[in-house]
Amino acid sequence: MYGCVAPSEIPGVVANDARIFGTIAEEIVYALFCQQYVCTSNSIYQDHYNPAAYIYFLHINNPHFDAFVQYDYFYNAWTQKLAKVPDILIHSASEKAFYEIKPDSPSGIREGISKVGKLSVVYKTYLLPYSPGIKFKPKRYW
């Protein structure tokens, strides 16, 4: 979102409240995303903090991401804290991309750059076809 302040940067806001606000903001952005895309369970993955659902989505859309590759992924990428889960992952004929939702604040930009970098490296390492998304541009409502 443009012109946002991360709740965690506001004095007096506790970490749990900031996390809840972030979840609400992600749902709003996802709703805007679904206005531009047909959001189906086989082509769009939305992060709901369920690693098994994420791995399943990767596998059904990328058959080479089988049990052996998944084991390697968890052993190497996950244990080294390189594996991250994007907020939105799209696998369609026209786009294979991931989107990360962060506030337009110094910490949000810093965290977003770090996460996009890690996702890009891990996807390339495991021959997954995803790159940072550029097609989705949410409308500004403020």
Side-chain angles (χ1 to χ4, degrees), residues 29-47:
V29 173
Y30 185 71
L32 295 171
F33 183 86
C34 288
Q35 289 177 353
Q36 294 181 25
Y37 290 86
V38 176
C39 293
T40 65
S41 61
N42 289 339
S43 64
I44 306 285
Y45 170 82
Q46 181 188 16
D47 184 21

Side-chain angles (χ1 to χ4, degrees), residues 104-136:
D104 186 17
S105 66
S107 65
I109 292 169
R110 191 171 45 253
E111 290 171 20
I113 290 169
S114 174
K115 193 167 179 182
V116 167
K118 288 176 182 177
L119 283 165
S120 297
V121 168
V122 169
Y123 287 153
K124 185 175 180 179
T125 300
Y126 289 95
L127 305 175
L128 296 167
Y130 310 108
S131 59
I134 58 172
K135 290 184 179 181
F136 171 62

